[in-house]
Amino acid sequence: MANISVKHTLINETSIIHLLEGYNLGPISHCKFLTRGLNDTYLITTPRKQYIFRVYRHGWRNEDQIMFELDALHHLQEKKYPASFPIAKRDGTYLSEIEAPEGIRYGVLFTYSKGVRPSINAENAKLIGESLGNLHHVTDDFHSEHSRGFELNLNYLLDEPTSLILPVIRKILGKEVEGDIQELVENLKTGLNNKNLEIGFCHGDFHSRNMHKNKGEVEVFDFDCGAIGLRAYDVAVSWWNLLTNYGEREEECWDAFLNGYASKRRLTKDDVDSLPLFITARRFWLLGTMLQNDDVWGTNWINKHSLELFVLQVKTDMIREIKR
């Protein structure tokens, strides 16, 4: 029999239940695999409550990086910010070390955010904006002794993804398009480097898919992309989500989001002016992340059509910026 190497294992639900024996959960009624992404997520149901158990992918986040995330969540919990929080085991620790075939992985149990994903309308957009403004406000004094290993800066959002994107663009669309994209990135970096932008703790992926609404309140989850970084990027991710997925409601919902954010925290002129540029940065980060993690997204989508759409989007973004 040939030897094989493993990129990513999917742990079955019975094994997850065994991993949860170190918690004070009582009898577990059901364990259900919810979704596979950059990490694997399971829904845990007991007679009294529901929980989320996340298994971090090997090589994606190390122990120190995860502890930074948990420190941020503990800070938010102390500030009474509505979010999904980590739950300690009986011994007071939070991480379960898992010896998977591909290497060490870590599991963390979180509270379950009740409710449903907020529908996209002006009322909810205002609530989402308030939530992000409040998050930025209450984390102004956050610090951690643990290293996150990355910051949401231009190197992480643009340089690293571009190093992966340009060879693929060149191979499929040609040298001329590669040159266009390289020039666009340099212009983008120049525009952002010329601004005095606020830096602080960011969620990193703040949009409607990472929150639930329950009894009129938004509760946020999935801080896996959270780090210290450019807060205007954190704001722009919500605009990117509206443009990409809810174009017909983008204008009114974006205005409502900004009004909600402004009710909790002021954006400087430089931060406001940078927002269209960060929509483009988001596109580069996402494409680079997908190329880097082909065990999650596969490779079938890497084709002429998808790359031409990406090029069209980033060029359209720049036209929007020029016309402002």
Side-chain angles (χ1 to χ4, degrees):
M1 182 180 293
N3 291 326
I4 64 169
S5 60
V6 176
K7 279 188 175 182
H8 182 82
T9 53
L10 181 62
I11 303 172
N12 69 36
E13 289 85 349
T14 301
S15 295
I16 294 296
I17 291 174
H18 288 318
L19 288 170
L20 295 172
E21 290 174 357
Y23 294 87
N24 286 317
L25 300 184
I28 295 175
S29 306
H30 192 61
C31 172
K32 179 181 180 181
F33 173 66
L34 280 186
T35 182
R36 178 183 177 185
L38 292 170
N39 303 297
D40 295 334
T41 305
Y42 298 80
L43 176 64
I44 311 301
T45 302
T46 72
R48 294 185 304 154
K49 289 185 178 180
Q50 289 183 310
Y51 305 88
I52 290 294
F53 190 71
R54 176 195 292 164
V55 181
Y56 292 81
R57 191 160 55 101
H58 173 69
W60 177 243
R61 301 281 185 247
N62 62 34
E63 183 176 358
D64 210 37
Q65 292 170 335
I66 296 170
M67 289 307 302
F68 176 98
E69 177 187 347
L70 302 190
D71 283 348
L73 289 170
H74 288 139
H75 180 90
L76 291 172
Q77 192 170 22
E78 290 174 2
K79 300 283 186 172
K80 302 189 184 306
Y81 178 85
S84 170
F85 299 119
I87 297 172
K89 295 187 286 184
R90 279 192 294 270
D91 63 6
T93 63
Y94 287 86
L95 272 62
S96 296
E97 188 173 294
I98 304 165
E99 294 185 10
E102 66 269 32
I104 296 297
R105 300 177 65 182
Y106 296 97
V108 176
L109 186 69
F110 295 91
T111 59
Y112 179 79
S113 296
K114 295 179 180 179
V116 297
R117 181 189 302 173
S119 56
I120 297 301
N121 54 50
E123 178 185 356
N124 285 341
K126 184 174 184 293
L127 285 176
I128 295 169
E130 290 173 355
S131 178
L132 183 59
N134 190 28
L135 187 152
H136 287 171
H137 174 69
V138 301
T139 54
D140 277 340
D141 59 345
F142 167 70
H143 69 278
S144 173
E145 299 300 320
H146 298 281
S147 172
R148 188 52 157 161
F150 66 94
E151 293 185 4
L152 298 175
N153 54 26
L154 298 189
N155 178 62
Y156 179 79
L157 296 173
L158 286 171
D159 291 336
E160 292 179 9
T162 300
S163 70
L164 300 172
I165 292 169
L166 287 180
V168 179
I169 293 284
R170 180 176 183 174
K171 179 181 179 181
I172 297 178
L173 300 183
K175 292 182 181 179
E176 184 177 348
V177 179
E178 178 194 19
D180 290 344
I181 294 300
Q182 200 161 16
E183 181 181 3
L184 187 152
V185 171
E186 290 306 313
N187 290 337
L188 193 60
K189 289 166 60 179
T190 298
L192 290 168
N193 280 323
N194 287 334
K195 301 183 189 304
N196 182 21
L197 301 175
E198 182 186 3
I199 294 174
F201 180 79
C202 301
H203 179 278
D205 200 21
F206 197 91
H207 54 79
S208 59
R209 286 173 169 78
N210 284 330
M211 58 191 68
H212 280 167
K213 181 182 177 184
N214 183 48
K215 297 180 180 178
E217 182 177 69
V218 167
E219 184 167 297
V220 182
F221 48 82
D222 195 357
F223 283 73
D224 179 54
C225 292
I228 302 299
L230 296 157
R231 280 179 160 166
Y233 170 75
D234 223 16
V235 175
V237 168
S238 286
W239 194 1
W240 161 84
N241 181 49
L242 291 172
L243 281 169
T244 305
N245 300 307
Y246 307 96
E248 71 283 359
R249 283 165 275 176
E250 175 253 329
E251 187 171 350
E252 79 167 316
C253 289
W254 177 236
D255 286 343
F257 176 93
L258 285 178
N259 288 334
Y261 187 94
S263 72
K264 299 295 182 180
R265 188 176 188 86
R266 177 179 172 269
L267 279 171
T268 68
K269 184 179 185 304
D270 274 0
D271 282 315
V272 171
D273 290 345
S274 74
L275 294 175
L277 301 177
F278 277 121
I279 290 176
T280 313
R282 171 68 175 192
R283 298 195 199 279
F284 276 91
W285 174 84
L286 182 59
L287 181 58
T289 300
M290 293 175 69
L291 290 171
Q292 183 183 12
N293 299 285
D294 59 5
D295 59 327
V296 178
W297 284 282
T299 58
N300 191 50
W301 63 272
I302 306 172
N303 53 50
K304 188 171 185 285
H305 173 75
S306 63
L307 292 175
E308 284 179 338
L309 177 60
F310 168 77
V311 172
L312 176 63
Q313 288 174 330
V314 297
K315 287 186 174 181
T316 303
D317 290 340
M318 297 308 291
I319 293 171
R320 180 187 298 111
E321 165 64 13
I322 292 169
K323 288 182 177 180
R324 288 180 74 252

